[in-house]
Amino acid sequence: VQLVESGGGSVAAGGSLTLSCATSGLRSFSDLAIGWFRQVPGKDRHIISVIASQTSNGPTWYDDSVKGRFTISRDIARETAYLRMTGLKSADSAVYTCAVSLSDYASMRYYLEDFEYEYWGQGTRVNVSS
């Protein structure tokens, strides 16, 4: 199983980036929940967005810090998840990591815990300059 993030980089405040999380080696991609996390130096990793499995109609969740600015999605044919980030702020500077949960929960709250995710990418860095 591999998860490979891409799309990070440097951008000015107010700009946009789209992160990709390409997966391989997983069973039915549509049956998985995918989370995006971010971590800044000296702080714990923090979940910012989740898209649940398609069998649960793929509901999404966003942390308040990114709600209305970030959009999570998935392309089942490409087995790739995305995080579209707009209106970027300097506070969004971090290493962003995607992760996959093999569990299928009715409640999104279970996906907010990083121990619910079995597979992780290596992370991609985003730097937003003010």
Side-chain angles (χ1 to χ4, degrees):
V1 175
Q2 279 193 315
L3 280 65
V4 179
E5 299 97 335
S6 61
S10 296
V11 63
S16 302
L17 285 173
T18 298
L19 305 183
S20 300
C21 174
T23 72
S24 61
L26 292 165
R27 63 173 174 84
S28 181
F29 180 72
S30 62
D31 294 338
L32 308 171
I34 300 161
W36 281 97
F37 295 74
R38 69 184 181 189
Q39 186 172 23
V40 298
K43 293 190 176 181
D44 292 337
R45 183 170 56 197
H46 180 67
I47 189 163
I48 57 170
S49 186
V50 180
I51 183 165
S53 73
Q54 291 299 108
T55 56
S56 301
N57 294 317
T60 57
W61 174 90
Y62 299 94
D63 184 74
D64 286 344
S65 64
V66 305
K67 195 175 296 182
R69 300 187 298 122
F70 290 14
T71 304
I72 191 171
S73 63
R74 77 169 93 205
D75 184 324
I76 294 173
R78 289 185 167 84
E79 297 187 330
T80 299
Y82 303 96
L83 186 68
R84 174 65 175 168
M85 308 186 296
T86 63
L88 284 163
K89 309 173 183 178
S90 57
D92 295 318
S93 296
V95 174
Y96 287 73
T97 305
C98 64
V100 164
S101 173
L102 303 181
S103 301
D104 187 9
Y105 295 118
S107 173
M108 294 292 281
R109 65 185 176 92
Y110 293 103
Y111 294 121
L112 305 187
E113 303 291 346
D114 57 5
F115 58 76
E116 292 290 350
Y117 294 83
E118 286 83 4
Y119 300 106
W120 294 80
Q122 83 289 349
T124 186
R125 184 175 299 277
V126 172
N127 182 57
V128 184
S129 56
S130 56

